[in-house]
Amino acid sequence: MKKYIAALSTTALISVTPHALASSTDLTVTGTITPVACTPSLSNGGIVDNGKISAKDLNPTRDTLVGKHPLQLTATCDAPLLFALNPIDNQAGTSSSLTWFGLGLTDAGEKLGWVRIDVTNTIADGVAAHAIDSEDDGKTWSRTWVSSPGYLLSVGSATDTSTPIATQVLTMDFEVQTNIARAESLTLTDEVALNGSVTFEMKYL
């Protein structure tokens, strides 16, 4: 009986005060279509081959650096444009380091290691510049020497690394470092393939 009375009381309140309960919110859709486009590319087809690595050469208790390879990233635009590169780790969740890109898993589900991409030189339209990155989707920027998962990568001038500059042709020299997790954490009774993969996606600012 008490539940029935409570239900009636609620209905009565709704019927006499509809305007007090009414509210709204707006959705706004924005964006810009630009006639200018950029195309990124990597030297050597973006392939880093560390060759055959003997399990006995891996450090049992520490990560082992097994290769340093140069690559050059080039982004060519139709005209000067503000843009960034979004590095996507296609092996997310497999890195044995919290900071860097993954190398895939062993058949036993163990994290093989990690890949670090250092930025050793940056040229914007033929002029020396600096690599900059942003961890908050482009709200703030600072100088960087690496490309990291979750950080937008762009270019700032030699005198101002807090703001991206419009660029038509950007080149960045990379050094790709491959590191294998400590051997004692891996099952290495059979051959294991390293499977690191990173996509650099264009993002227009």
Side-chain angles (χ1 to χ4, degrees):
M1 186 64 182
K2 290 182 179 179
K3 290 183 179 178
Y4 180 69
I5 293 171
L8 285 176
S9 299
T10 302
T11 303
L13 286 171
I14 293 172
S15 65
V16 298
T17 58
H19 297 295
L21 296 177
S23 62
S24 64
T25 185
D26 295 328
L27 182 149
T28 303
V29 179
T30 65
T32 304
I33 298 174
T34 174
V36 181
C38 302
T39 302
S41 63
L42 285 165
S43 61
N44 199 40
I47 303 297
V48 171
D49 186 358
N50 289 284
K52 293 270 187 178
I53 303 159
S54 174
K56 68 179 180 62
D57 292 333
L58 300 177
N59 193 301
T61 58
R62 297 196 309 271
D63 295 346
T64 304
L65 175 65
V66 296
K68 291 183 179 181
H69 292 82
L71 278 183
Q72 187 175 80
L73 181 142
T74 303
T76 304
C77 307
D78 300 329
L81 188 66
L82 289 172
F83 65 87
L85 294 154
N86 179 29
I88 301 169
D89 187 355
N90 299 317
Q91 293 288 5
T94 72
S95 175
S96 60
S97 163
L98 295 176
T99 307
W100 311 116
F101 301 96
L103 267 180
L105 302 172
T106 66
D107 290 340
E110 302 147 342
K111 297 177 180 180
L112 272 169
W114 47 277
V115 176
R116 194 178 86 183
I117 302 174
D118 289 353
V119 184
T120 60
N121 192 45
T122 303
I123 303 292
D125 294 333
V127 178
H130 291 308
I132 58 176
D133 67 5
S134 172
E135 63 176 328
D136 54 14
D137 200 34
K139 295 181 181 66
T140 59
W141 297 86
S142 59
R143 186 173 179 181
T144 187
W145 290 266
V146 294
S147 177
S148 306
Y151 284 68
L152 293 179
L153 180 66
S154 191
V155 57
S157 71
T159 57
D160 182 6
T161 56
S162 65
T163 307
I165 58 174
T167 307
Q168 185 166 1
V169 179
L170 170 69
T171 59
M172 285 184 174
D173 293 331
F174 289 164
E175 182 180 77
V176 182
Q177 301 184 16
T178 305
N179 295 265
I180 307 300
R182 65 188 194 281
E184 66 181 10
S185 70
L186 302 173
T187 302
L188 301 172
T189 52
D190 297 309
E191 283 197 350
V192 179
L194 307 185
N195 193 25
S197 175
V198 180
T199 297
F200 287 90
E201 176 186 69
M202 294 298 305
K203 182 178 178 67
Y204 301 108
L205 305 177

